[in-house]
Amino acid sequence: MKLYTRTGDDGTTSLFGGQRVAKDALRVTAYGTVDELNSFVGLAATPPEIPPALKQRLQTIQARLFEIGADLATPRQGDDDPGPAHIPRINEDQVAELERWIDEADQGLPPMKNFILPGGTEAAARLHAARTVCRRAERLCCTLAHEVPVGDHLIQYLNRLSDLLFALARKANHDAGVEDIPWIAPS
C-alpha cells in the first residue's frame, strides 16, 4: 500500500465511518492537536536521564492518546451513543491512574511558593512543552464538546495529563538537583 492516496488533495479528510470533512474542521483540528501532543510526549521520553519506569508510563500515555484520537475521529449520533465497539474510550479508571501518578510524582517535591518558568533540565523543558500542547488539545476538545458529543472522560483525562506533565517536569528538575525557575513579577 502506498503512503499517499491523493484523496485529501481537495482539502478534505475521512473520519472513521467514511464521512469526509474539511481538514481544518474543528474535529480534525482537535485530533490533530492530540496527535501533536503524542509526538511531544514521545519527545519527552527520549532524554537518556528519563528513568525506564517513567519512559514506560509515557509510552502508555502515548497509546491512550492514540485512543483519544480515534475517539475524536469517530462521530457519535448523540450523548448516549457509545460509538463502535472497536474504538476504545478513555474511562474513569484511566483518569484515576493519572491521579495516582501525579501524587507519586509530587511526593517529596518542595512546595511551590510562586509560579515557575518552564525549563531547568532538558527533560523538564520537554515535559513542559508537552504540557502546553496538552492544554491546547484540552481547550480544543472543550470547544468541540459544545458542538458534538465527545467521550465522557476524554476532557478529564487531558486535564489530568497536563497536571501530570507539570508534576513530572518539576520532578525531573528535582531529581537532577536543579531548582525550578521562579517567575518573579517585574517591579
Side-chain angles (χ1 to χ4, degrees):
M1 175 164 67
K2 291 187 177 193
L3 186 60
Y4 57 91
T5 63
R6 297 186 177 122
T7 59
D9 290 350
D10 65 351
T12 64
T13 190
S14 289
L15 301 178
F16 285 161
Q19 177 186 359
R20 295 210 55 89
V21 297
K23 287 185 177 185
D24 62 351
L26 180 56
R27 178 184 296 278
V28 178
T29 301
Y31 71 68
T33 304
V34 169
D35 186 36
E36 180 183 358
L37 168 59
N38 205 335
S39 294
F40 271 87
V41 171
L43 186 64
T46 61
E49 67 268 22
I50 294 291
L54 175 55
K55 187 173 192 162
Q56 180 59 49
R57 283 186 176 178
L58 292 174
Q59 289 172 342
T60 297
I61 289 165
Q62 286 186 284
R64 298 247 165 81
L65 290 172
F66 255 94
E67 293 171 8
I68 289 173
D71 189 348
L72 291 171
T74 307
R76 297 171 183 224
Q77 299 307 311
D79 288 333
D80 296 333
D81 177 18
H86 66 280
I87 302 296
R89 307 288 185 191
I90 295 298
N91 62 49
E92 62 188 310
D93 292 338
Q94 294 163 330
V95 174
E97 179 179 57
L98 289 185
E99 290 172 352
R100 286 190 303 277
W101 293 353
I102 293 166
D103 292 341
E104 288 175 19
D106 202 39
Q107 271 184 335
L109 294 180
M112 285 182 46
K113 296 179 181 165
N114 49 2
F115 291 110
I116 62 170
L117 300 176
T121 64
E122 180 180 350
R126 288 177 185 219
L127 289 160
H128 277 297
R131 173 187 58 80
T132 62
V133 176
C134 187
R135 285 291 189 205
R136 181 162 34 94
E138 179 187 6
R139 290 189 303 270
L140 287 166
C141 289
C142 286
T143 302
L144 180 63
H146 293 299
E147 295 182 11
V148 298
V150 298
D152 293 340
H153 303 287
L154 188 149
I155 293 171
Q156 292 174 353
Y157 188 88
L158 292 173
N159 185 278
R160 295 308 181 287
L161 179 56
S162 63
D163 292 338
L164 174 62
L165 293 167
F166 180 80
L168 291 174
R170 291 195 68 221
K171 182 171 175 30
N173 280 341
H174 182 265
D175 290 353
V178 174
E179 289 187 27
D180 287 321
I181 306 163
W183 174 69
I184 312 280
S187 341

